[in-house]
Structure formats: C-alpha cells, structure tokens
Amino acid sequence: TQLLEQSPQFLSIQEGENLTVYCNSSSVFSSLQWYRQEPGEGPVLLVTVVTGGEVKKLKRLTFQFGDARKDSSLHITAAQPGDTGLYLCAVIMEYGNKLVFGAGTILRVKS
Amino acid sequence: DAGVTQSPTHLIKTRGQQVTLRCSPKSGHDTVSWYQQALGQGPQFIFQYYEEEERQRGNFPDRFSGHQFPNYSSELNVNALLLGDSALYLCASSLRVLPIPDTQYFGPGTRLTVL
C-alpha cells in the first residue's frame, strides 16, 4: 500500500480545460510538496504546503492542503500544452533525509 | 550556476554486470540523495550521503552502494544487475540546515536498461 495515493493516474484534456488532481493518505503530515516532472528531466518543486486548509497559487495552478493535513489537491485553470508532464506529490520523512512520493498523475494537454 | 549534473545520460547493461552512476551536486550543496524511478512510478529513496557517510537508507538490498567524495560529488554502484533494476536513477542535492529540511534539487537522471 502506497503512503500517498494519487488520482487520476492519467489525464488527457484539451487546451483551455480545467482539471484537478488529488493526493490522499490516511496519515497526517506536517507538510506536503508538489513536483512536476517533464520527460527526460528530474522532478522540479512547484510548492510546499504546511498549514491545514492552506491554499497557494502559482499563476494558473492552485494548491490546497486538506484541513486535517492528510490530503492535497492541485487545480489547473485553462490548461496549456506546456502543463504536460508527470505531477507528483511528496512528503518529507525522517528529519528531511528522504522524500516519499506518490505514483504520480500523467497529464497530457492537447492543442 | 550549474544545477545538479549526472552521468552518463543513458546506460545499457546485461544481467549480472555492475554499474556506477555519477552525480555532481548544485554549487553550495553538501548532501546528496539517490532515488530510483521505475516506469510509471514515483521516485523511491535509495540512500542519502552527508559528510562522506551514508546517513539514511531506503528499502534497497546491499547490491546498491554509494560513496560521497570530499568535493560532495557522489557515486551510486549497483552490483549483480537484475532486469528489475531497469529504471531512471535520480540524484538530488540539498544543503543540510537542521532542523528544517532544505529543498532537494534533482538532476535529469541516468536511464539504466538491463537486458
């Protein structure tokens, strides 16, 4: 059983559509991170959320941390082909020594 | 300012062989972590090096070993390769500033294929 369950596994949408991807767990975390990974590249940190109920915005991306700090969501408004990639959520474990990732959501935005 | 670099980019080996992957951390970083990312999965933590010592290890067999050099660069060694070792191997560097964990910056990875 994965510590972090991401859904959906795969999403294919048209340019201009909105979408939401989810990261869920039965565990409580002090913080949670979202990364984007493009083909041939390593993951790049998008945001860290630390407070239950927190909402952070990064241009067309909106990140929310659940009130109970067990889950998070990423909403993209008016998706563009440049948003295509693998979206990963992760938590920091063991005093910062390691990141534990979910399996990711593959997003494909067609023009 | 160069980011995290890894070499080689791609590698093809056969079962039973040994492989060494290399990583140079981002300038100013002193900690290197290694991750394995199988196709369709998120990265899985292998181990972390700081001050030339392995500080933390994930659930990987002893066939996976590493080293950190005085200039903070690192190597990942895998012995007796299995087909299941085929994956993207990612190196991440960070600056160890306790007690707050610092951001890990990832390299582009080495794609290892075991035939």
Side-chain angles (χ1 to χ4, degrees):
Chain A
T1 306
Q2 290 248 0
L3 180 65
L4 298 172
E5 297 285 346
Q6 289 194 245
S7 61
Q9 288 183 297
F10 181 76
L11 198 53
S12 182
I13 61 171
Q14 289 295 133
E15 182 176 2
E17 292 184 3
N18 301 330
L19 66 115
T20 302
V21 298
Y22 301 92
C23 176
N24 296 301
S25 179
S26 57
S27 300
V28 177
F29 303 110
S30 57
S31 66
L32 186 143
Q33 297 183 326
W34 284 93
Y35 290 78
R36 180 169 66 213
Q37 184 177 18
E38 298 183 25
E41 301 292 331
V44 175
L45 179 65
L46 297 174
V47 77
T48 301
V49 286
V50 296
T51 306
E54 180 178 7
V55 175
K56 280 192 174 180
K57 292 191 174 184
L58 185 65
K59 297 183 181 178
R60 294 177 293 101
L61 279 59
T62 302
F63 304 85
Q64 184 161 9
F65 200 15
D67 290 342
R69 290 183 287 124
K70 293 182 178 182
D71 53 80
S72 182
S73 64
L74 159 59
H75 180 81
I76 302 179
T77 304
Q80 298 177 0
D83 296 326
T84 293
L86 174 67
Y87 288 82
L88 296 157
C89 64
V91 290
I92 302 168
M93 308 289 284
E94 300 181 23
Y95 308 106
N97 285 336
K98 73 176 190 180
L99 292 168
V100 175
F101 288 87
T105 292
I106 299 171
L107 172 64
R108 179 181 164 197
V109 182
K110 295 175 285 187
S111 57
Chain B
D1 177 23
V4 180
T5 59
Q6 292 186 244
S7 63
T9 306
H10 296 87
L11 205 51
I12 299 175
K13 293 285 187 179
T14 55
R15 280 177 295 175
Q17 285 190 311
Q18 177 262 344
V19 68
T20 298
L21 310 182
R22 295 175 175 82
C23 171
S24 291
K26 184 177 168 65
S27 178
H29 285 183
D30 57 6
T31 301
V32 173
S33 304
W34 287 92
Y35 294 80
Q36 180 196 65
Q37 186 175 22
L39 203 60
Q41 298 295 321
Q44 284 198 301
F45 177 79
I46 303 175
F47 42 52
Q48 184 181 84
Y49 276 84
Y50 170 68
E51 290 186 334
E52 302 179 47
E53 287 188 20
E54 184 182 294
R55 298 294 176 167
Q56 197 73 33
R57 189 178 183 91
N59 189 24
F60 279 81
D62 292 344
R63 298 186 297 109
F64 289 76
S65 63
H67 188 78
Q68 185 179 35
F69 299 93
N71 67 352
Y72 307 119
S73 67
S74 178
E75 288 182 350
L76 164 65
N77 301 293
V78 187
N79 295 322
L81 284 167
L82 304 173
L83 294 179
D85 294 331
S86 295
L88 180 68
Y89 288 84
L90 294 162
C91 169
S93 75
S94 56
L95 179 63
R96 194 172 185 89
V97 183
L98 295 174
I100 301 170
D102 196 22
T103 300
Q104 294 191 21
Y105 291 83
F106 287 83
T110 293
R111 172 71 63 188
L112 172 65
T113 301
V114 182
L115 302 176

